[in-house]
Amino acid sequence: MSVPSILPIADFPVRVLTRQMLASGLLGVIQSGEKVSLFFANTNFVVQCRSLLPRMQDESVVIVNDGIGLNLASRLVNGQQFAENLNGTDFTPYLLGQAERPLRIFLLGGTPRALAKAEEHVRSRLGQQVAGTCNGYGDLYDAALIARINQAQPDIVLVALGNPKQERWILDHRDVLSAPVLMGVGALFDFWAGEKSRAPKWVQGMKLEWLYRLALEPRRLMRRYTVDVVKFFVLCYRHRQRYV
Ligand code: UDP
């Protein structure tokens, strides 16, 4: 069976890509000066970003699959799996590592404390240039911020505000920002800062990282992994017939 380039999940056009394909595509975009907005779709994204879907139906918006929920849903509604699991936490350092020169990164989001540590991580551990930073708790719709980001001339703006804030912010600003690549990266700065810990590799290997996060933050995440996961599968089921 040939693999299509898009597997629709609850109407979101999710691309079928390996991390290698995605990284070389983005690095090409940085070289050519085109523009791409990249979103990692997990079950929470599909539920929380529903109202933004019409604004994501655009060639320059790239949505990729993040997590076991998306793969399971795709097997159920499309009868096909994605090529690889692509999440921002693993993919971003991979992307930076594939570049031939240090890239200019603007970090937007997170608490001031996590952001400062993430900035240090990007410089000293990942060997990239930090073009600028802005924490995620001020006025992110201030025109001065947009001017500051453009003046910093980043290759990539990493936007870490959680769903759906980061997606809305990117969609609201992608036309006025000159950076070639905008990426919604969730809790990435907290991981880089060491403020949140990743699950051990064997837990990740068993596709149970979500359970690990739930165990660490049950109050915050319980709804996301119960009610919202049911909502996610209902959405996938409801919207399946247009494609099968
Ligand atoms: N965040 C932020 N501003 C906000 C809300 C969240 O900067 O108004 C940051 C938060 O500090 C964290 C990141 O967004 O670093 C991701 O938040 P969350 O943990 O909710 O994301 P997820 O669990 O979806 O990855």
Side-chain angles (χ1 to χ4, degrees), residues 150-201:
N150 282 337
Q151 273 158 19
Q153 299 190 322
D155 297 303
I156 300 177
V157 183
L158 297 178
V159 185
L161 304 169
N163 316 120
K165 268 192 184 173
Q166 61 195 25
E167 288 77 16
R168 181 170 292 122
W169 190 90
I170 288 174
L171 292 168
D172 287 344
H173 294 99
R174 64 200 199 99
D175 290 340
V176 291
L177 286 171
S178 46
V181 176
L182 310 176
M183 292 169 56
V185 292
L188 177 63
F189 300 169
D190 298 325
F191 292 123
W192 278 350
E195 306 251 316
K196 281 186 184 174
S197 63
R198 294 291 303 274
K201 286 275 178 240

Side-chain angles (χ1 to χ4, degrees), residues 70-179:
L70 266 274
N71 223 16
L72 205 55
S74 184
R75 275 163 74 168
L76 291 173
V77 299
N78 300 312
Q80 307 227 25
Q81 313 203 62
F82 289 99
E84 261 178 49
N85 176 21
L86 295 165
N87 64 75
T89 309
D90 291 322
F91 177 74
T92 308
Y94 172 77
L95 169 67
L96 303 179
Q98 294 298 106
E100 284 173 4
R101 61 168 171 92
L103 296 176
R104 292 180 61 74
I105 315 295
F106 196 102
L107 307 177
L108 175 73
T111 61
R113 183 186 138 113
L115 184 63
K117 291 188 193 167
E119 178 181 0
E120 179 55 27
H121 180 90
V122 170
R123 275 211 186 92
S124 56
R125 300 287 294 276
L126 302 178
Q128 308 296 315
Q129 293 178 20
V130 176
T133 65
C134 177
N135 78 69
Y137 294 90
D139 179 5
L140 302 179
Y141 281 75
D142 183 353
L145 170 62
I146 309 310
R148 181 153 76 86
I149 298 173
N150 282 337
Q151 273 158 19
Q153 299 190 322
D155 297 303
I156 300 177
V157 183
L158 297 178
V159 185
L161 304 169
N163 316 120
K165 268 192 184 173
Q166 61 195 25
E167 288 77 16
R168 181 170 292 122
W169 190 90
I170 288 174
L171 292 168
D172 287 344
H173 294 99
R174 64 200 199 99
D175 290 340
V176 291
L177 286 171
S178 46

